[in-house]
Amino acid sequence: MSTQNNIRSAQRGTTEAPWVRYTLTGIALVFMFLFLVLPLAAVFTEALRKGWDAYAEALREPDAWSAIRLTFLTALVAVPLNLVFGVAAAWCIAKYEFKGKSFLTTLIDLPFSVSPVVAGLIYVLVFGAQGWFGPWLAEHDIKIVFAVPGIILATIFVTFPFIARELIPLMQAQGNDEEQAAQVLGATGWQTFWYVTLPNIQWGLIYGVILCNARAMGEFGAVSVVSGHIRGQTNTMPLHVEILYNEYQSVAAFAVASLLALLALVTLAIKSMAEWRMERELKALAELPPERPTPALGATAGSAH
Amino acid sequence: MSIQIRNVNKHFGSFQALRDVNLDIASGELLALLGPSGCGKTTLLRIIAGLETPDTGSIHFSGEDTTDLHVRERNVGFVFQHYALFRHMSVFENVAFGLRVKPRGERPSEAQIKQKVTDLLKLVQLDWLADRYPSQLSGGQRQRIALARALAVEPQVLLLDEPFGALDAKVRKELRRWLRRLHDELHVTSIFVTHDQEEALEVADRVVLMNKGVVEQCGSPQDVWDHPASPFVYGFLGDVNLFHGRAHEGLLHLDGVAIHTPEHAGAQNAQAFAYVRPHDLDVQRYTPGASGIVAKLSRAIVVGPIARLELLPVENNHPAGHDPLIEAQIPALQFRELGFKEGETLVVSPRKARVFLQPQAS
Amino acid sequence: MNTSTLPAIIPRDARPRRAARRVLPGFKLTLGFTVFYLCLIVLIPLSALVFRTFTLTWPQFWEAVTGPRVLASYRLTFGASFIAASVNVVFGLLVAWVLVRYRFPGKKIVDALVDLPFALPTAVAGISLTALLAGNGWIGALLEPHGIQLAFNPNGIVIALIFIGLPFVVRTVQPVLEDAEKELEEAATCLGATRWQTFSRVIFPSIAPALLTGFAMAFARAVGEYGSVIFIAGNMPMISEITPLIIISKLEQYDYAGATAVATVMLVISFALLLVINGLQSWQRKRSAGNSQ
């Protein structure tokens, strides 16, 4: 009897008293509400402050459109390039052992700890008028800084780690066995990657791409330094928001911002789904195979295993 | 396809996994690489496959040097310990994979692939699972699919890495028999790695015992059991008792008994030890003056046809760290007839023993 | 079988060692491309910064990085980041605990929402926080009559930095809490510990490395943050001007040398933080590997 009491109180002992639970949950939810939900709601409230017409008007403005176009163009170039890099880096780091691997991994993590302003600055120092290639570029009338190429480069710098950092632990957890099996069966490197590795990393890839895209479209600090803020030409959506806001065109600013906020929500949704799929696969990986076939598949009579 | 392994050495960092390994494997034979964990058997298997490269030495398939050939070109089949089935492909696609990735010129037609895969699935008796995915299969089923997949490309050599390690005992026994029958049907040169001696002795044509990167003995199961070549082999296969004593001119003196060891006729008061199987021990009630080791019966386990007796010698002259417990086996019938009780003093004498001299420190 | 072509069995390794060959192809290709990309995008531009810095004489450099305005910005940036990261540690732990241990309706949505600061562009966060906290915003209107001003001063900066740093702590602590062994807590309770004792002596030490890592990551991010801060900061020199803004204003005045100098200081601190974070992460991994034995 006393053992039973001990067990019961042990179980009770691993959760807090109900009032503690409710209070902690309450505080956490209030905190989340204040810091996350309110700002999100504020974007839409301010955008619609003067009604739907003003909202639509703000988005139809030509400068807003060129900002939207430029943002999409930047993402369209940066994300695929970073995708190729991410896959190559993950393959290299996850599948082989070599000296300097941890240095490489640290280098890939670098943009996460560098301030976006510094990120933009370094490209100005290389390609700007006073930069290393400045005179050469001026001679050949190629504009990188204060033009679209500079924006794309700075965006690439800030966003390239996302896909790599997502794939590296995933591929490391999945191991090399399936790829080695494919090699023994006669597959070439490309066949192995395409038929064996790619399906296994698909959800990690989607997760990484969606985060990379969100950051690429939303990058502000680095692009701000590199772009020159030329209205209608070198303004991405975040920069356009800044300009509108500084001109006290509040509704227009929040209207454009609301598009970005919607993008963020879509990103979160896709991200959750991809995460859930990845977790499921990793869990299945860790489990030992059952000794009996799973019943859901109508085990017909037939040979015993 | 016969295999010749010559002078293979392999290091992993500072750890030497294989030491001067030489082996000849006949075409069509089923060979077991047996040994404790870390003895190098899996490393050797992977070197034969081409998944690892030896530091020195060479591998030959039917006389041709394949050491520098990539695994893809060796035409071997490999069954991984954890199956390594392609988890996003159905069972059918898994088995068909090797055929699908052949270069265009050699690739069979879709109909041929379908036929071949169906035949293989029938061979492993799992044709009804063709549309399932690996996660929906049991361990034993996955193992057989992995085997079918390896056989699809008609390999010259089949290599299996601890094929039954991850399965429970009953499934393991069934699959063991099944593998032997499959081999008898296909006659592909096959090598499998195991740490389970029962498995190796039951299934293989020949057994290679390995320890710490070295081949200790190579022979038929009967051979290695009856004539173990080294203390390691003797101790690894089956239960064994170890006695310490001194050998002098053809006689080994243990506590209370002398054993004839004609092979050590020249020994001069040398330290030696004897290996005795539990069923080679004669157990009698103690009478003063009886020849044999005097021991107390500490435990008797009489389940089934054999009585397993655990005895502790009364005089403990064994070196430190050595477990003095003696294990003897006598038929349960005999045990009941003689009426031994736990705590009784008995006398134990070996009928047969294998004696090794302590290697001289040079 | 032609045995005459086989090498004789020789007792010692007479053949020279051969280099290990990799089974999976693509090593050179992927390593080459990775290194190439990193050089192009990261190493060359970063080295431009380093080289540019070296064109300054030491007195020039020192003057640029220790001017009074710059010093004030360091105090502000690091001070605000420290406060924000500390707040995030407390509330981040709370949120992670609630998400892992308790059940409540809408938990999945709350879990997904934690990543909002990752997904939301910093400029959008900046203007919406400003709208909220300014005198005429929802929160500002409530607090300003009481004399609490949260916008256009360092307070606003701290709030913005709390916003962007929250996911770091939560996402670092969550997996550790999820993997924590319930049995340890049960054992402590059987031995007579109160719930608080169990938390402070058993649970907290096991998540301390993760908390520290989360703190360092939130801190590192906050130090470099620009977009969400400049709208709400007020940007008054000596009072509410953050270091990244100083770099930008120097650039706008074509003081490349000054901008580079300050940027180098920030970069060095970023590197240091990166090393600290890596160290903390491997400590955390070692700890959790030991626990799972």
Side-chain angles (χ1 to χ4, degrees), chain B residues 142-171:
Chain B
R142 288 187 207 184
Q143 188 55 279
R144 286 188 279 164
I145 299 298
L147 195 53
R149 182 178 70 175
L151 291 171
V153 293
E154 285 168 33
Q156 305 271 38
V157 176
L158 189 58
L159 305 168
L160 303 107
D161 186 2
E162 307 244 18
F164 312 126
L167 304 170
D168 73 31
K170 186 156 184 289
V171 178

Side-chain angles (χ1 to χ4, degrees), chain C residues 84-147:
Chain C
S86 310
V87 170
N88 273 329
V89 162
V90 173
F91 283 95
L93 173 60
L94 178 63
V95 170
W97 182 270
V98 168
L99 282 175
V100 172
R101 293 291 175 112
Y102 302 156
R103 279 203 208 114
F104 52 90
K107 188 161 97 152
K108 282 216 165 76
I109 298 184
V110 174
D111 198 7
L113 219 54
V114 167
D115 283 324
L116 183 66
F118 270 161
L120 194 66
T122 51
V124 174
I127 60 173
S128 75
L129 281 173
T130 315
L132 263 185
L133 300 171
N136 54 358
W138 291 340
I139 308 241
L142 286 174
L143 293 177
E144 229 153 78
H146 301 273

Side-chain angles (χ1 to χ4, degrees), chain B residues 37-52:
Chain B
S37 325
C39 68
K41 50 193 195 295
T42 298
T43 309
L44 183 60
L45 193 78
R46 288 173 70 91
I47 288 180
I48 298 174
L51 292 169
E52 309 272 359

Side-chain angles (χ1 to χ4, degrees), chain C residues 234-248:
Chain C
N235 304 326
M236 287 185 295
M238 303 296 288
I239 302 180
S240 52
E241 192 182 34
I242 55 171
T243 313
L245 184 57
I246 294 222
I247 298 178
I248 288 201

